[in-house]
Amino acid sequence: MVWDWFPTYFDQLVAGLLLTLELLVVSIFFGMLLAIPIGLVQVTGPKWLGRIALGFCTVIRGTPLLIQLWLIYYGIGSGVFPEIPALRESILWPYLRDAYPYAIMAFVFSVAGYSGEVMRGAFAGVPKGELEAARAMGMSPFKVLYRIWLPRALQNVFPTLAGEMVLTLKSTPLAATITIQELFGVGYQIRQDTYRIYEPLLLIAGIYVILTGVIVLVMRYLENRVPRPAAA
Amino acid sequence: MWDSLQLLAFSPPGWGGVLLRGLVFTLIVALGAYALGLVIGFLGAVGKIYGGPILKTLLETYTTLIRAVPELVLILLLYFAGEAAINLALTAVGLPTISINPILAGILVLGFVQGAYTTEVIRAAMLAVPKGQVEAAYAYGMSRTKMLARIMIPSMIPFALPGLANLWLIVTKDTALLAVIGSVELATVTRQAAGSTRSYLLFYSAAAVLYLCLTLVSTWIFRRLERRYRPESGDALKLNALAIGRR
């Protein structure tokens, strides 16, 4: 075991760790935001919208994330977008040449697809009587949603959120395959620079274990603070 | 449009045949890894439930670590570590070094990762079997092996099926990760096809369709199996809730 490369790459590793955390937080936040309507339309309809949502979840859950990532980055990012002149001249172009937005897009879709399925179950699991009571109090459908239905559904899925975060954390290394220098990307770079086979990999594996542990502990702490739903 | 679709023709210069062969290798690797995972998972579950404190700690470390580290990192670590270890052993006894067959390497690496998840699924299923049945088996004078074979395994299947179905779907998708070490399965050949024709969109879409077909067919088969082995009590529903999926 040789660790003399560690001080040289310390700054890069920290930058990679921060990028990993950023990917995780941004993907979870926007993914969950997208998962709410995806779950909701499958319960409330309209039927055609529900079917589109179900199709989206099936495709996302039925294909490897790696293929989705490459399809979005290589297929659309470098195959379709550069062919559109209007896009090339727009102010968005400098961003669209970077790999980062494509990675975010793939991860957000992935979180939305997996959590959309969970949210569907959560919305369906809220007792009907509560929604009827809210309607009887004269709440508008939108008010029922954000005062009663959504909070109750989120309460039900909270325990699965920790698992979802760990799964997303564990899929962030895929971003390294499209040139993003997150934690795994930095580790891979160190391997290629120093010809050390195991040490960089073991180091980042250890960091991922710690991150997973932190996520699980923090979520458990938060879970205990969320008021528990009455026995279903 | 037609020109680009011709790239999917089955015979060269089309790449359709190459992709289908990749799909077959994906299936072989997935089946092998799944089978290896089942063996590890069964032994691991028995060890976790009936083993001594040292064995229990070792298995707990194995399942915890494997499930906390990204699959991509594990695949690289196990692949290089495995090859290096084998070659070290070969050099020690004076034999020439070898490079491992990519299919076998994929099966071993994914199977080892899969084993950690399978252990947890089978352990949970075993614990869901009513204690009375196990006690009754011992009361009849069955040995532990006989109890496992005659009572435990048949009655845990309904509890384990949803989780095992989920794990099969996961392992078929995880085979794509083998593309980072270079293999012969679908993701690797798709990348080669896309790279050499520069038709990225076409080939990655085609691969996605193939993976999706694999998932849909598997889901259909497992749904039929689940219907056949439906447990009598409602306990399996609770386990079903765990089967949410993974990338």
Side-chain angles (χ1 to χ4, degrees):
Chain A
M1 290 275 168
V2 180
W3 294 93
D4 57 0
W5 46 268
F6 184 69
T8 327
Y9 288 98
F10 182 75
D11 290 346
Q12 262 177 282
L13 283 166
V14 171
L17 176 63
L18 290 177
L19 190 53
T20 290
L21 291 177
E22 187 185 319
L23 282 171
L24 174 67
V25 171
V26 174
S27 318
I28 289 281
F29 181 77
F30 288 103
M32 286 305 289
L33 223 52
L34 201 55
I36 291 170
I38 287 175
L40 191 63
V41 294
Q42 288 183 71
V43 180
T44 58
K47 232 175 192 170
W48 59 274
L49 215 55
R51 243 178 244 146
I52 292 176
L54 179 66
F56 174 80
C57 290
T58 309
V59 170
I60 293 291
R61 288 152 45 98
T63 55
L65 179 56
L66 189 64
I67 296 289
Q68 293 164 18
L69 193 64
W70 289 352
L71 179 65
I72 290 176
Y73 178 61
Y74 294 110
I76 298 175
S78 65
V80 176
F81 283 173
E83 307 291 321
I84 307 170
L87 210 55
R88 287 195 77 124
E89 279 143 31
S90 74
I91 48 163
L92 284 175
W93 186 241
Y95 301 101
L96 291 177
R97 276 167 52 194
D98 195 34
Y100 186 75
Y102 300 102
I104 289 288
M105 206 199 300
F107 291 147
V108 165
F109 282 167
S110 189
V111 173
Y114 283 88
S115 308
E117 189 72 18
V118 178
M119 285 309 294
R120 181 186 60 80
F123 278 121
V126 174
K128 273 225 166 72
E130 292 182 22
L131 303 178
E132 281 160 10
R135 291 288 296 158
M137 299 284 276
M139 288 188 189
S140 68
F142 189 67
K143 207 169 211 173
V144 174
L145 177 65
Y146 81 80
R147 282 250 181 107
I148 313 289
W149 211 2
L150 186 59
R152 289 287 274 124
L154 287 178
Q155 210 173 20
N156 287 336
V157 296
F158 200 83
T160 63
L161 201 59
E164 184 57 34
M165 283 185 86
V166 172
L167 294 183
T168 310
L169 170 72
K170 294 201 310 173
S171 45
T172 52
L174 297 180
T177 64
I178 59 168
T179 72
I180 290 180
Q181 286 291 71
E182 44 66 77
L183 187 57
F184 174 74
V186 174
Y188 205 82
Q189 183 70 44
I190 298 173
R191 285 190 64 215
Q192 287 181 327
D193 291 352
T194 61
Y195 300 107
R196 303 306 313 169
I197 300 177
Y198 309 113
E199 291 91 335
L201 281 178
L202 284 176
L203 176 70
I204 56 171
I207 298 178
Y208 280 114
V209 170
I210 293 169
L211 285 179
T212 305
V214 169
I215 290 176
V216 170
L217 286 180
V218 169
M219 293 307 281
R220 195 173 296 163
Y221 171 76
L222 289 177
E223 202 178 311
N224 288 335
R225 299 192 42 143
V226 171
R228 219 164 271 272
Chain B
M1 181 69 192
W2 179 240
D3 282 352
S4 60
L5 278 184
Q6 273 183 329
L7 286 171
L8 289 175
F10 287 114
S11 52
W15 288 79
V18 177
L19 290 194
L20 282 186
R21 207 170 318 131
L23 181 65
V24 171
F25 282 124
T26 284
L27 258 180
I28 294 173
V29 172
L31 281 172
Y34 193 61
L36 180 58
L38 279 179
V39 173
I40 297 178
F42 178 71
L43 295 177
V46 171
K48 261 195 168 183
I49 294 176
Y50 301 106
I54 298 174
L55 184 61
K56 272 186 185 165
T57 314
L58 280 177
L59 286 169
E60 194 59 45
T61 317
Y62 163 64
T63 53
T64 309
L65 283 186
I66 293 282
R67 295 190 307 157
V69 178
E71 281 74 30
L72 199 59
V73 180
L74 282 175
I75 285 172
L76 282 179
L77 260 178
L78 292 173
Y79 181 70
F80 291 113
E83 185 161 327
I86 289 173
N87 280 333
L88 208 66
L90 284 175
T91 341
V93 293
L95 289 168
T97 58
I98 53 157
S99 62
I100 314 169
N101 171 323
I103 298 173
L104 187 63
I107 291 177
L108 293 177
V109 169
L110 288 181
F112 187 75
V113 176
Q114 186 80 1
Y117 291 88
T118 316
T119 300
E120 291 301 313
V121 167
I122 295 186
R123 193 183 73 100
M126 281 183 166
L127 292 178
V129 172
K131 269 211 174 83
Q133 294 191 17
V134 177
E135 279 162 12
Y138 285 139
Y140 268 104
M142 287 189 192
S143 66
R144 180 175 290 166
T145 330
K146 204 169 220 174
M147 183 279 292
L148 284 173
R150 288 221 183 137
I151 309 294
M152 186 59 102
I153 295 177
S155 40
M156 81 172 190
I157 285 178
F159 300 110
L161 256 181
L164 293 181
N166 205 27
L167 286 176
W168 165 252
L169 297 179
I170 288 166
V171 79
T172 53
K173 287 184 282 169
D174 271 357
T175 55
L177 298 179
L178 294 175
V180 290
I181 53 172
S183 182
V184 287
E185 48 64 58
L186 186 52
T188 314
V189 296
T190 305
R191 189 161 68 164
Q192 287 160 358
S196 50
T197 58
R198 313 225 137 249
S199 305
Y200 298 103
L201 190 63
L202 177 75
F203 281 109
Y204 289 130
S205 308
V209 169
L210 290 178
Y211 280 112
L212 191 59
C213 291
L214 189 53
T215 304
L216 292 179
V217 171
S218 312
T219 312
W220 181 77
I221 293 173
F222 271 110
R223 203 166 286 163
R224 291 195 59 143
L225 274 176
E226 267 172 53
R227 212 170 293 154
R228 237 186 106 161
Y229 292 103
R230 182 164 301 194
E232 279 143 37
S233 62
D235 291 350
L237 288 175
K238 277 181 226 149
L239 289 170
N240 223 336
L242 295 172
I244 289 160
R246 184 160 61 87
R247 277 142 202 130

